[in-house]
Amino acid sequence: MKKIAILFIILLCNSCRFFDGQVPNEEELLQQRLKEINWKEVSSYPSIAECDAIIDKELKKECFFSSLTALIQQKLDIDTIAMLYPEMDTIDVKVTVFSNATLKFEPQMPEDMVSYNKARIDSIIKARLVDFPKIEPAQKEGVPVTTQFILPVILDVKQ
């Protein structure tokens, strides 16, 4: 019993040294952590179920972009864009993946293409690009975030 009491006293006396140091300022720690974060890049890119098993960040990103592009091409291949504008073989689509996993698609028409009816193309895209499989949003430090990117979509012109 004496040994336990002596050990307790030694621990008690030595543990006081841990309280001698300054307590870090929360605001300073926060500011330091905020400076360490690369705000221009996400921790993980958006993902689709078929890419979830991939561990490598870059390969998972490539899988997501190629899968999404293929899905968009598939949905637009059955459409009239290629028939209305046979000279248009590619269309850039701005994709927004919101933090709540919803999607938004907007055609990106070059300024010099005034002959195209942007409103008509936009309505076709919005009508066709629905019912996508569940997409997990990108994450930054474990928090879902909104991301935007532009995908070039090749239109399949069937003659």
Side-chain angles (χ1 to χ4, degrees):
M1 191 67 165
K2 274 187 177 183
K3 288 181 182 180
I4 294 175
I6 292 172
L7 183 59
F8 180 72
I9 292 171
I10 291 171
L11 283 172
L12 188 60
C13 291
N14 285 332
S15 67
C16 291
R17 287 189 291 173
F18 295 116
F19 298 109
D20 290 343
Q22 288 276 0
V23 176
N25 180 329
E26 286 181 35
E27 186 62 30
E28 286 176 16
L29 288 174
L30 174 63
Q31 292 307 317
Q32 180 182 357
R33 180 66 183 123
L34 290 174
K35 287 178 186 174
E36 292 171 358
I37 296 173
N38 178 356
W39 292 103
K40 297 193 185 288
E41 191 173 316
V42 293
S43 304
S44 66
Y45 289 93
S47 185
I48 198 163
E50 64 190 64
C51 304
D52 284 345
I54 301 171
I55 297 171
D56 182 77
K57 183 179 177 180
E58 285 302 311
L59 291 176
K60 192 171 189 171
K61 172 186 168 184
E62 287 175 27
C63 176
F64 171 74
F65 285 121
S66 63
S67 297
L68 188 60
T69 301
L71 282 169
I72 292 171
Q73 283 173 312
Q74 205 174 46
K75 289 177 179 283
L76 293 180
D77 278 351
I78 55 172
D79 212 345
T80 57
I81 293 177
M83 287 184 232
L84 288 172
Y85 306 105
E87 67 282 359
M88 183 188 290
D89 61 351
T90 304
I91 186 168
D92 288 337
V93 178
K94 181 175 20 173
V95 181
T96 304
V97 180
F98 293 97
S99 59
N100 65 358
T102 57
L103 298 169
K104 179 180 176 186
F105 300 97
E106 301 169 83
Q108 301 297 292
M109 305 301 291
E111 300 290 328
D112 61 342
M113 296 186 137
V114 291
S115 63
Y116 298 110
N117 184 337
K118 185 181 180 332
R120 189 169 189 188
I121 293 173
D122 191 45
S123 69
I124 292 170
I125 285 178
K126 286 182 179 170
R128 290 289 182 205
L129 300 184
V130 293
D131 298 327
F132 275 82
K134 184 171 175 16
I135 292 180
E136 291 296 322
Q139 294 200 357
K140 182 69 179 171
E141 300 293 311
V143 177
V145 294
T146 298
T147 51
Q148 278 188 334
F149 42 89
I150 296 177
L151 293 177
V153 178
I154 298 169
L155 301 173
D156 187 17
V157 181
K158 294 181 177 140
Q159 304 271 332

